[in-house]
Structure formats: structure tokens, C-alpha cells
Amino acid sequence: MIVELGHLALIIALCIAICQATLPLAGSQYGIRSWIALARPLARLQLLFILISFASLIYAFLVHDFSVRYVASNSNTALPVLYLISGVWGAHEGSLLLWALILAVWTAAVTVFSRSIPDNMVARVIAVMGMISTGFLLFMLFTSNPFERLQFPPLEGRELNPLLQDPGLAIHPPMLYMGYVGFSVAFAFAIAAMLNGSLDSAWARWSRPWTTAAWVFLTVGIVMGSGWAYYELGWGGWWFWDPVENASLMPWLVGTALMHSLAVTDKRGAFKAWTVLLAIAAFSLSLLGTFLVRSGVLTSVHAFATDPARGVFILGFLIVVIGGSLLLYAWRASTVKSSVRFEPVSRDTGLLLNNVLLIVLAASILLGTLYPILIDALGLGKVSVGPPYFNSIFIPLAIPLAWAVGVGPFLRWRKDSGQRLAKILIVPLVGSVVIGTLATLLVPPYFTWGALLGLITASWVLCSLLALVIRQMSIRHLLSRFGRSQLGMLVAHAGIAVFAIGICLTSIYSSQKDIQLALDESYDLDGYLFTFKGAERFSGPNFNGFRGVIEVTEDGKMVAELHPEKRFYQTGMPMTEAGIDGGITRDLYVALGEETVGRRAWVLRIYHEPFVRWVWAGGMMMAFGGLLAVFDARYRRRRLAAAAVSATPIGVPA
């Protein structure tokens, strides 16, 4: 009964989404106030029915209703409750239902936090999001129904993918999806503004906090995904350039460019074309990520589905979204042009350069991700594009981007002087060279030119931020004189520096060794002595395995006792749970391999990872900076003058 209710709720939600996509839009175009007024109630009603559907699927998991194909394929009676709940989005059908739910949440949020925006504009935004919801609900009901029944239910379900039986599954995908789907709001505002035919700065101001909020969620999701891969996969790395990792990084890069472009459009009325195209690109890349994960065209530890037929539907939907958006853009091209002029040395130019670098980065990653797929589809053989390619294009572009971060806040709008900038920046430049050089000589175990370049670059970002604070005010008055948006910029840019330090030091100075140790045998890695003290059998709620004991000493003093695990689930799939001793300056990491029968020894993979946690700390600092900007008081003030610009629908006299 509950399952049928969930399926019926999805059908009703689809009907509501169709009404949401049509009636408010028609009302805003033809001045029918009663239809405009339907936008908010329809969005909230759709959320209610998708919530009912989602809760029904959770219930089916909790009561082990194996008559539902999706439940039987992704859970069993031995699965802990946490994974029964998070397993709802652990595979294809459920993850799409989560996608639809989060889209409904974002839409409902727009209805609540848009009181200062004209009803006509809100109606168009909600209608565009209704169109997106319609596409995904159709996809679910016709190709990926999570409530599909089995004619002969099994007595016991199958295993949830052991890779996903981790607490990170309960948080990482929802955070990632909140970012993916959140860019639909910026997309909807851009489309709504073009439908209105008046692309002024008001729509950019309205969409800025929504874009920043989506970027914050995506940043947190990426950081959490990196941390999950680090401790769950047993390989000791924080980024592998996996196609699905790339699928989340591309919209993040474009979303970062979009945030900066929206600031220019809001403050100066410039970059309108850039901003609209970036809004379309950010959401399109989010949809492309969905296509890559669920179409079956790639192999990844993160991919959920391998059914190409479903991918055809998503690809068609992607073509409709991108093609329709670009056609509308071409139709409204005359209203998108900006007449604002600026000189080569100006903040406008600096932000334009920032956007160009970010877009080139995203395009290069897109090429490396899709090129093997295209070559394979054309029958030209199989090509592998791995970390060497991505590192070779990412690092040369990321370094000038980091240096631009230090210069940008000092630039003036429209026109500036190179001599003025040189006087301001000479002190932080000298300071960054001195600090970076000293850090390279004193912190790492040995000198490398790569470390020198990386640490000078990170020091430059920090020194320039400090110079900015000192120039504008005393630190004592920082909170009172800086708005949350400016504070957010400082924190996020400082996060870039911390992130860069982590990448630089862990990439250059990490050590790794695969060894075989019998009882009480030891191995020295970078001054740390790893001693194997044996492995014992143990049982979990739905697995059996071995837990090793490794003592780590430095100069004869005990610094850690690590307990790596080797787990075997019902499917027989082995899983590695690394033993990690984390710290501010280093991680000690051990993964348990296979037992060698002849020697009664175990294969171990041991790592020394300097400053690896600075990578995630920097990412979280960036997210926190974005969060501060979201809650800037400017976004909560009513902008009556700006609102009046978009208050009148096309064809309706004011």
C-alpha cells in the first residue's frame, strides 16, 4: 500500500510540475494575475508529493519490502539502518528520486525567499524549474521507476555496493546534488530574464545568493567526496581525475566564474552575455554530470548505472535544455549586449581574465573526459586519458589564476593605473618571495623548485590579502567595517592559499611503499618505523574480515597504533578500510592487502602524506567564505527601484 502511494505521488507530482511549467509562465507573459499567483502554491505542492514518494521508498527499505525491485537489488535484512536509509540513493533509481526531491526543495526555497522580487519574475523562474522537474519525473516514471514491482519477490535482498556502505554516503551525495541542482536556480533566473526581454542588473543581484549557495554545497560535496575516496579506496590519494570526479569539478569551475561574472553584472551592468552563458553552462555541465554517471558510457568507482537506453533519454533532455537555452539567447541577443567600457588595467579586465582561465580549465577537463568516449563511439579504438594529461593542463593554468586572486581585489573598476598597483603590491610580492623561500628551506625534508613555486604562490595570496586588510582598516575594526560578502571573499581566498599549500607539499613529498611483513617485522618510511603486530579475524553486522595492528614509532617513541581492515561482504567483494593517524602536518596511512600463506605474512601498503589535510581544510575554508557571502545583509534588502524594472510583463502596459 505504501509503495503504491509513493508511485501515485510521483505521478501527481509530474502533473503538478507540468502545470507549474505552463500556467505561471503563460500568466506572466499575458498578464493573467490568477495564473501568476499559482506559481508558489504549485511549487510547494509538488515538493509535498515528492516528499511523500521519497518517504515511501525509505519505508520500503526499512521494512525490507523485497517485492520492490530497487529495494531487493540494493539491500538485505543484515544491512544496518544507516545504510538502509542512505541506500535509498545508493543506486540509479533512488539517486534520481533524490535529484527530483532536491530540485523541489530549491524551488520551494525560491518561493519563500523571493518576497522582494516581482511576482512576474518569480513566476517565470518557478516555471523554468518546473520544466526541469517535468523532464526528470518523466525520466523516472518511464525508464527508472524506483517503485517497480517484482512478480516473484525473493526471500532475501542483494547486497548494497560495499563501496557505498560508509557513513559518507549519507552526506556526500546529498551535498553534491544540492550543488548540482542549485545551479538550476541561476539558470532559471537567466532564462526568466531573457523571457522578460530586459536583462538589467536586477536579475543578477537576485540570482547571486542562490548561485553562491549552490557553489557552497558543491564545494562541500567535492571535498567530502575526496575525503571519502582517500580513506575508503585504500589508495592514499585525494584526487584521481576519475571521470565522475571531473563531472563535479567542471560545474564547480564554471560556477566559480559565474559568481564573479554576476558580481560585475550586478555592480557595473557589464558582462551580461558572459553571465547568461555561464549560467547556462554551469547547469548544463551539472546535467552532463548526471548523463556521465548514469548513461553507462564510462567506467568509474562512483558510477551508478550501466544502461545506455537511459542515457539516450538524458542525452535528449540535455540537448533540449542546452539547445533551447542557446536558441533563446540568440533570439534575445540584442538585449544581452553590454555597453559598459573599461580599460585594460581595471577590475573589469581582471575578472574577465579570471573567467577566461576558469572556462579554459573547465573546457580542457571536458575534452579530456569526453575524448576517449568519442573516439570509442566513432570506432577509432580505445584511448585512455589519465592524470598526466590533466596535471599538465591544470597546473600551468591554476598558477596564474592564483596570482590573479592576489591582484584582483586591489584593482579599481573601469580604469586603473599600473604604477599605482606596483606601489601597492611590491611589499606583498617581496614578502611572499621571502616567506615562500624560507618555508621551502625549513618545512619540507628537501628542496625542490616545484615546492618553491607552489609555496611562493600560496604566500602571495596570503600576503596580498593581509595587505588588503591593512590598507582598508585596522584588524580591530574588521568585523564592523567589512560586510559579510567581503569577509567571505577574504576567507575563501585564504582557503585557496591553504589548498595550494596542501596540494604542493603532499604531491611532492608523499611517500608510498608496498611491502610484505610477517609478525613483528618492521619497515622504515621517512623516519617512521611501521611494525606489524598481527591480524585477527572479526565480524561486522553484514561482513567478516581481518583487522591488522601496526605500531608506528619515531625515534623510538610510539606515535600511533593503526588498525587497517580487510572486509568480505556477502557478495564476496573485498573492501579495504585504511588505518589512518591524521595530523596537521602529516598523515600516516596503512592499507591491509592479502595474506601470504607460505610466510604467514601480510601485504601492506603504507603511506606518509605530508599536509594532506590542508587540501580539505582549504576547500572547507572556501565553502565557509561562500557561506558568509550568502548571508550578506544586502541580499535581504528590498530593492524597489530595481524590482520595478522587471515588474511589468512583455506586452502588458505598465
Side-chain angles (χ1 to χ4, degrees), residues 112-463:
V112 174
F113 299 105
S114 59
R115 297 299 180 185
S116 63
I117 302 177
D119 289 340
N120 289 326
M121 185 67 172
V122 175
R124 295 186 190 101
V125 170
I126 292 175
V128 173
M129 298 184 76
M131 295 176 193
I132 300 168
S133 182
T134 298
F136 267 86
L137 290 172
L138 284 171
F139 178 41
M140 260 194 299
L141 287 169
F142 287 100
T143 72
S144 308
N145 187 354
F147 298 103
E148 182 183 349
R149 290 283 195 177
L150 290 171
Q151 185 176 1
F152 303 103
L155 295 176
E156 182 58 272
R158 299 171 63 186
E159 185 74 61
L160 175 67
N161 186 342
L163 277 172
L164 303 178
Q165 294 188 37
D166 182 85
L169 177 65
I171 307 174
H172 165 54
M175 282 290 177
L176 205 60
Y177 281 20
M178 284 292 289
Y180 273 161
V181 183
F183 284 129
S184 67
V185 182
F187 171 80
F189 268 102
I191 298 299
M194 287 193 290
L195 288 172
N196 183 52
S198 178
L199 272 163
D200 51 25
S201 61
W203 74 273
R205 183 179 308 115
W206 294 328
S207 61
R208 280 185 71 184
W210 298 102
T211 304
T212 305
W215 181 87
V216 168
F217 280 115
L218 186 58
T219 303
V220 173
I222 291 173
V223 171
M224 293 186 65
S226 170
W228 168 80
Y230 174 71
Y231 69 78
E232 182 68 20
L233 299 182
W235 64 290
W238 60 274
W239 196 262
F240 191 63
W241 293 110
D242 178 275
V244 178
E245 291 177 333
N246 296 346
S248 63
L249 181 60
M250 289 183 291
W252 185 88
L253 291 169
V254 175
T256 304
L258 175 60
M259 287 194 303
H260 291 85
S261 191
L262 281 168
V264 182
T265 304
D266 177 13
K267 294 179 182 294
R268 299 260 295 129
F271 291 9
K272 291 180 184 178
W274 259 106
T275 306
V276 171
L277 288 175
L278 287 173
I280 294 171
F283 182 60
S284 298
L285 286 170
S286 296
L287 288 180
L288 179 63
T290 301
F291 167 65
L292 289 174
V293 174
R294 292 171 182 83
S295 64
V297 299
L298 54 81
T299 301
S300 165
V301 298
H302 309 280
F304 288 121
T306 55
D307 185 357
R310 292 168 173 168
V312 171
F313 189 106
I314 297 179
L315 182 59
F317 183 54
L318 190 65
I319 292 172
V320 169
V321 171
I322 298 177
S325 303
L326 294 179
L327 284 174
L328 179 61
Y329 175 83
W331 180 40
R332 294 296 192 191
S334 60
T335 66
V336 178
K337 294 180 180 178
S338 299
S339 58
V340 179
R341 295 185 177 275
F342 51 88
E343 297 296 324
V345 181
S346 65
R347 180 171 293 192
D348 311 63
T349 302
L351 288 171
L352 180 62
L353 175 63
N354 168 83
N355 284 356
V356 169
L357 289 173
L358 287 168
I359 295 304
V360 171
L361 274 173
S364 301
I365 295 171
L366 179 64
L367 176 64
T369 303
L370 295 185
Y371 182 73
I373 299 172
L374 295 176
I375 292 297
D376 189 20
L378 294 173
L380 300 177
K382 293 189 178 295
V383 177
S384 176
V385 177
Y389 163 78
F390 292 108
N391 290 332
S392 66
I393 58 101
F394 195 87
I395 294 173
L397 291 171
I399 290 176
L401 190 60
W403 281 85
V405 165
V407 178
F410 292 95
L411 289 166
R412 292 172 176 170
W413 293 108
R414 196 172 65 178
K415 184 177 181 179
D416 206 339
S417 165
Q419 292 180 343
R420 187 191 73 88
L421 279 177
K423 291 179 181 178
I424 295 173
L425 296 176
I426 187 64
V427 173
L429 178 60
V430 172
S432 63
V433 172
V434 172
I435 294 172
T437 302
L438 289 175
T440 308
L441 295 173
L442 299 177
V443 176
Y446 54 89
F447 176 86
T448 67
W449 290 106
L452 178 64
L453 177 60
L455 291 178
I456 287 178
T457 300
S459 300
W460 160 252
V461 175
L462 292 175
C463 289

Side-chain angles (χ1 to χ4, degrees), residues 563-577:
H563 300 277
E565 298 177 2
K566 193 75 171 182
R567 298 178 179 181
F568 300 92
Y569 289 81
Q570 291 183 1
T571 58
M573 180 177 179
M575 283 298 302
T576 297
E577 296 289 327

